[in-house]
Amino acid sequence: MMNIFKIAVLCNNRMAIPAIQALYKEGRLSAVGVAEGNTDVIDFASMFSKQTGIPLLIIKKENLSAQLEELISKTEARFVFTMTFPWKIPAEVLDKHQGKFYNFHYGLLPEMRGADPVFESIRSGAKETGITVHAIENKIDKGAIILKKILPLSINMTHGVLCTNLSWLGANLLGELLILLKNDSKGTKQNEDNAKYFAKPVASDVCISWQKHDAKTIEALSRACNPWNKGAYTQWNGWNIRVVEATVINETSHQSDIPGTILSLDEENGLIVKCNNETQLRLDIIYTDEGFMSGHKLFAFGMKKGSRFVNL
């Protein structure tokens, strides 16, 4: 019987699920490790482990080195794949097990380093994204590239939709990747001249500036925040509102209005807002503490034509 080398997967996000299932079907999955505290992924992994008998490790940051050593020794994994795993693999583990750890980066390297390349790819209006599988070094996202797959980025993709597309791409590239690793591919060194690092989004990154951003930029930001942040933040009359879905309006009237001004607020035309650079945006779906609703329904809360959103 042909010897099939085994793979362990460390994950913290649903994006890893199709790849985990694909490795299991191929008889290659030796174990799954999930960071503690992520109940959604732990619930899936627990059920998966019970159904398949694949060992599950709930990993604690303070015990990371010891638990990784346990995973490697008990499961005899030839390679360990990290997929959205939140913590760096300790240097002593990498030094002891050289050529064993590989990361699935859900963005293009070296141009899109950082914790959430999905968010940044959408927000920046990139034409393409993809998955970069690279050897793990002690420095984040800097190891040699073993395999890179490109995915066109359409103008209507939300963060959630893109995550789903990338998760299936991650499963589909496994066959080619495993051949490369079996043949001891060393990959290609990253070009540091093209490298850019983007930190994990903070509150200021998900807030709308009507005076600085044009309609296209705000629309992209709303998609980059959907669904994980329930949209991009704005504020009116001290009330937090998040823009979940929006449409750029090709209209040149109302050019004298200040950005952030409500130009229309009715069921027929919707909630239309003046943006920077003489552009306009219709807020199709918004979220407040009261729930998700069509933008024009804010009239019931006292908003009216001529009201103005505040820059955050």
Side-chain angles (χ1 to χ4, degrees), residues 10-16 33-38 41 83-86:
L10 305 178
C11 65
N12 193 47
N13 189 286
R14 68 180 180 85
M15 296 173 75
V34 181
E36 67 171 342
N38 190 327
V41 178
M83 300 175 179
T84 71
F85 195 62

Side-chain angles (χ1 to χ4, degrees), residues 110 113 141-143 189-196:
R113 292 174 177 170
D141 296 338
K142 289 193 175 183
K189 186 177 180 180
Q190 295 188 38
N191 184 350
E192 291 298 319
D193 292 338
N194 297 331
K196 293 181 181 179

Side-chain angles (χ1 to χ4, degrees), residues 52-304:
T52 63
I54 297 296
L56 168 64
L57 279 76
I58 307 301
I59 299 178
K60 300 178 182 293
K61 188 174 183 180
E62 61 269 23
N63 297 330
L64 183 55
S65 293
Q67 287 189 286
L68 291 178
E69 290 293 351
E70 177 187 0
L71 180 146
I72 292 169
S73 62
K74 288 187 176 180
T75 67
E76 298 182 345
R78 180 168 172 183
F79 299 111
V80 179
F81 293 164
T82 63
M83 300 175 179
T84 71
F85 195 62
W87 306 314
K88 288 179 62 177
I89 305 301
E92 64 269 19
V93 176
L94 293 175
D95 290 342
K96 183 177 178 180
H97 303 282
Q98 294 185 22
K100 186 176 287 290
F101 287 86
Y102 295 88
N103 180 50
F104 281 55
H105 183 78
Y106 296 91
L108 300 180
L109 293 176
E111 300 86 357
M112 200 64 72
R113 292 174 177 170
D116 193 349
V118 174
F119 171 82
E120 192 58 44
S121 295
I122 296 174
R123 178 174 73 158
S124 66
K127 302 298 182 184
E128 61 184 19
T129 184
I131 294 179
T132 309
V133 182
H134 65 94
I136 296 180
E137 294 183 355
N138 198 33
K139 296 181 180 179
I140 294 175
D141 296 338
K142 289 193 175 183
I145 295 173
I146 307 300
L147 181 63
K148 183 187 293 188
K149 290 294 183 180
I150 306 295
L151 181 70
L153 187 54
S154 71
I155 60 172
N156 59 359
M157 277 188 177
T158 64
H159 192 286
V161 170
L162 182 53
C163 284
T164 296
N165 278 267
L166 288 170
S167 70
W168 287 107
L169 179 60
N172 291 333
L173 63 76
L174 286 170
E176 184 177 352
L177 174 64
L178 293 174
I179 291 173
L180 291 170
L181 294 178
K182 182 180 179 181
N183 293 333
D184 198 28
S185 172
K186 301 303 181 184
T188 304
K189 186 177 180 180
Q190 295 188 38
N191 184 350
E192 291 298 319
D193 292 338
N194 297 331
K196 293 181 181 179
Y197 180 85
F198 299 92
K200 186 177 181 179
V202 295
S204 60
D205 295 315
V206 299
C207 290
I208 296 170
S209 174
W210 301 99
Q211 294 184 354
K212 293 180 181 179
H213 298 157
D214 62 14
K216 183 178 179 181
T217 300
I218 297 171
E219 188 277 332
L221 178 62
S222 71
R223 287 186 287 110
C225 295
N226 181 6
W228 68 275
N229 196 55
K230 296 180 181 176
Y233 280 103
T234 187
Q235 195 175 84
W236 171 74
N237 201 27
W239 188 28
N240 288 324
I241 297 170
R242 288 182 248 190
V243 179
V244 181
E245 186 173 299
T247 302
V248 176
I249 302 297
N250 295 317
E251 175 63 57
T252 58
S253 61
H254 308 287
Q255 293 194 9
S256 62
D257 290 294
I258 297 172
T261 301
I262 310 300
L263 305 178
S264 170
L265 186 61
D266 57 65
E267 187 170 0
E268 181 180 356
N269 298 301
L271 169 56
I272 300 177
V273 187
K274 173 71 177 293
C275 308
N276 185 36
N277 199 26
E278 302 300 341
T279 58
Q280 298 180 20
L281 189 69
R282 186 179 68 231
L283 310 190
D284 299 315
I285 301 174
I286 58 96
Y287 173 79
T288 71
D289 289 340
E290 289 72 23
F292 293 92
M293 66 188 78
S294 301
H296 74 272
K297 291 186 178 179
L298 290 179
F299 78 87
F301 297 89
M303 184 178 286
K304 59 185 178 180

